[in-house]
Amino acid sequence: MGEMLLKVENLTAAYGGIKALHGVSLEVEEGKIVSVLGANGAGKTTLLKCISSVMKPTGGSISFAGTTVAKKPYAVVKSGLVQAPEGRQILSSLTVYENLMVGAYLRKDKKGIGDDLEYVYSLFPRLKEREKQYGGLLSGGEQQMLAISRAIMAHPRMILLDEPSLGLSPLVVSQIFEILKTLKDRGLSILLVEQNAYKALSISDSAYIMSVGTIVRHGEAAELLEDDSLTQAYLG
Amino acid sequence: MLLQQIINGISIGGIYALLASGYSLIYSLLNFSNWAHGEVAMVGAFCAFYGVTIAQLPLPAAAVAAVLGAGVISVINERFFYRRIREKNAPTTFMMIAAMGISTILQNATKNMFGVSVKIFPSMLPVTSVAIGNITIGIYDLISLMVAAVALVGLELLVNKSKFGIGVRSVACSSYTSSLLGINVDRILVGVFFLAGSLAGAAGLLLGLKYNVSSTMGSIGTKAFVASVFGGLGSIKGAILGALILGILETLVSGYISSGLKDLVTFVLLIAILIIKPSGLMGVNVSEKV
């Protein structure tokens, strides 16, 4: 067993008085892809917001690489944990290149930034072609490629991906999920939040299934993939 | 004659542009009108004035005092007031109200400390003018023009070409996403307030040299605000263009109609233009937000 890179314990969170997470615990081992699956409103995005410190949990703990996650979102990124947020959140009035440079904003190693830029362009040649275009002009698939590439530019140990398949054609989804496997082979750990359960399980090592703010099931991806009752009950 | 008036208009418009660009910059990041911006310019003018009269500084050193003094007061406003309001997740209107409060506080504090009397810079440069063909331009106007041109070109380059500029435009696009991607938004804002404040300080000094220094001179901020709205709030280029047009309009009205009607006619024209083009000259276009 490798080291547990991310450890969430008994996490609770609320919007105003309305509880969104009721004691969520999960772990991501270094170098693995772990999925969090569940229908809309299960609390998946809330969980990621807490991990990235853009939302303050009401209880529980989150540790990354053995230490409690930083309080400021930029400091979380600095510690090696970066998020490609829901809806891609491309900076529309910045060019593709500038979006990537925002991803690398905390870094000072010019050489490393150059190497990573070349790497993401090799993963997604489309982005290189559109380097000078405004982010807002990209198609949905290209925006998702940019969102993932932007996260890679931070040179993280772990990426949090929020619904990368949302609104994309099956072909583009397959292409992006193939890239996620490539990233894993490169040693990156990934926490993948998805509604597209089959797709996500097919590339994951293990998965957690969330429903109304709690984890209802946890297991190896292969084992969950075979359990029809489960997918019917929770994933629709 | 017309060309002469236009040159004069550009010279005063350049000073408005120094203020309006800062106004726009802060608006594009925080979505509120920083009503204290004119008083920041006033603080800069006072720093330079007392630098010259009490500390016996030469003009360039006094200019540095104006730029730094105004930059620092602008950062203090952000660090101790606006940020605290933001951290409570209050509506942006609260920041605008706080800015109005800061504006009044700075004005009254200055009045009480330094008196209501209007202060005039001792003459530091020979009263002379430069003739180019038929046009003559006063030495202070020439300096104003050059300072504004250099500062504003510098600002455009900084915002569009530097790493800090990418951070600024990223935060203007979405401060939430920026923080998620690793940008220290608070630090960017401190930089932006310093930058906007220093530009205002330069404007304050130039206004002080052209006219005089007083605790109420911050009211010039209203014109800068109008210029930035007119140009399209949130766009630096728009703010600069709006400020230049405002300056030229004012001079033309004073020159050809009456200086007493200057503000009246100018504002009527501006309102008319806003009705015809409500987004301002360069507003709305997403790719042009800063």
Side-chain angles (χ1 to χ4, degrees), chain B residues 66-80:
Chain B
V67 165
L68 288 182
V72 166
I73 201 87
S74 178
V75 168
I76 288 173
N77 292 345
E78 150 60 13
R79 180 66 188 77
F80 296 102

Side-chain angles (χ1 to χ4, degrees), chain B residues 31-46:
Chain B
N31 279 304
F32 86 103
S33 294
N34 182 15
W35 286 106
H37 203 54
E39 274 64 35
V40 168
M42 182 267 291
V43 168
F46 269 84

Side-chain angles (χ1 to χ4, degrees), chain B residues 2-280:
Chain B
L2 177 66
L3 195 58
Q4 176 72 53
Q5 296 283 10
I6 290 175
I7 299 284
N8 292 344
I10 292 176
S11 147
I12 183 76
I15 300 180
Y16 294 159
L18 288 173
L19 277 168
S21 54
Y23 230 114
S24 230
L25 197 56
I26 290 170
Y27 185 91
S28 71
L29 272 79
L30 293 175
N31 279 304
F32 86 103
S33 294
N34 182 15
W35 286 106
H37 203 54
E39 274 64 35
V40 168
M42 182 267 291
V43 168
F46 269 84
C47 288
F49 179 77
Y50 285 109
V52 166
T53 53
I54 293 178
Q56 303 283 316
L57 297 177
L59 191 54
V64 172
V67 165
L68 288 182
V72 166
I73 201 87
S74 178
V75 168
I76 288 173
N77 292 345
E78 150 60 13
R79 180 66 188 77
F80 296 102
F81 306 108
Y82 305 145
R83 184 188 295 182
R84 299 208 168 170
I85 292 170
R86 276 200 311 282
E87 281 170 351
K88 302 259 186 299
N89 286 321
T92 53
T93 320
F94 286 24
M95 284 194 281
M96 195 184 78
I97 303 286
M100 287 172 170
I102 292 168
S103 154
T104 309
I105 290 164
L106 284 175
Q107 216 180 96
N108 282 283
T110 316
K111 193 169 72 187
N112 282 296
M113 274 193 283
F114 304 110
V116 285
S117 67
V118 163
K119 289 148 188 70
I120 309 216
F121 270 97
S123 61
M124 278 169 298
L125 296 171
V127 181
T128 174
S129 53
V130 181
I132 309 158
N134 290 334
I135 303 154
T136 56
I137 180 164
I139 186 80
Y140 283 111
D141 282 345
L142 189 64
I143 290 176
S144 279
L145 253 177
M146 292 194 304
V147 167
V150 168
L152 295 170
V153 168
L155 177 67
E156 270 293 311
L157 286 175
L158 186 69
V159 167
N160 290 311
K161 303 284 179 215
S162 71
K163 180 177 174 183
F164 173 71
I166 290 183
V168 170
R169 284 181 294 130
S170 174
V171 175
C173 215
S174 164
S175 64
Y176 175 79
T177 306
S178 299
S179 66
L180 213 46
L181 293 174
I183 288 183
N184 184 343
V185 176
D186 284 338
R187 191 179 288 175
I188 294 278
L189 285 171
V190 164
V192 163
F193 271 87
F194 184 77
L195 197 59
S198 347
L199 292 172
L205 168 64
L206 294 172
L207 279 171
L209 287 171
K210 192 175 167 73
Y211 305 113
N212 52 55
V213 176
S214 76
S215 60
T216 55
M217 69 188 287
S219 63
I220 197 78
T222 313
K223 289 199 174 158
F225 175 62
V226 168
S228 59
V229 170
F230 176 53
L233 254 181
S235 155
I236 292 177
K237 282 196 197 87
I240 295 171
L241 188 64
L244 292 178
I245 292 175
L246 182 63
I248 293 170
L249 270 179
E250 270 188 14
T251 347
L252 290 182
V253 173
S254 334
Y256 290 103
I257 305 172
S258 148
S259 63
L261 290 175
K262 181 181 81 173
D263 286 352
L264 190 145
V265 176
T266 313
F267 278 76
V268 167
L269 278 172
L270 289 177
I271 291 169
I273 294 171
L274 282 179
I275 291 171
I276 298 163
K277 195 163 189 321
S279 58

Side-chain angles (χ1 to χ4, degrees), chain A residues 49 52 54 72-74 77 82-83 85 89-94 98 101-107 134 150 154, chain B residues 87 160 163-164 166-167 169-170 173-174 176-186 188 286-289:
Chain A
K49 280 184 178 169
S52 284
V54 284
K72 295 278 185 183
Y74 74 88
V77 177
V82 68
Q83 183 175 157
Q89 307 298 335
I90 295 308
L91 301 157
S92 58
S93 60
L94 270 63
E98 288 171 340
M101 286 304 120
V102 170
Y105 206 78
L106 285 167
R107 298 172 66 183
Y134 286 114
R150 202 170 53 178
Chain B
E87 281 170 351
N160 290 311
K163 180 177 174 183
F164 173 71
I166 290 183
R169 284 181 294 130
S170 174
C173 215
S174 164
Y176 175 79
T177 306
S178 299
S179 66
L180 213 46
L181 293 174
I183 288 183
N184 184 343
V185 176
D186 284 338
I188 294 278
V286 263
S287 61
E288 199 79 69
K289 200 177 171 194

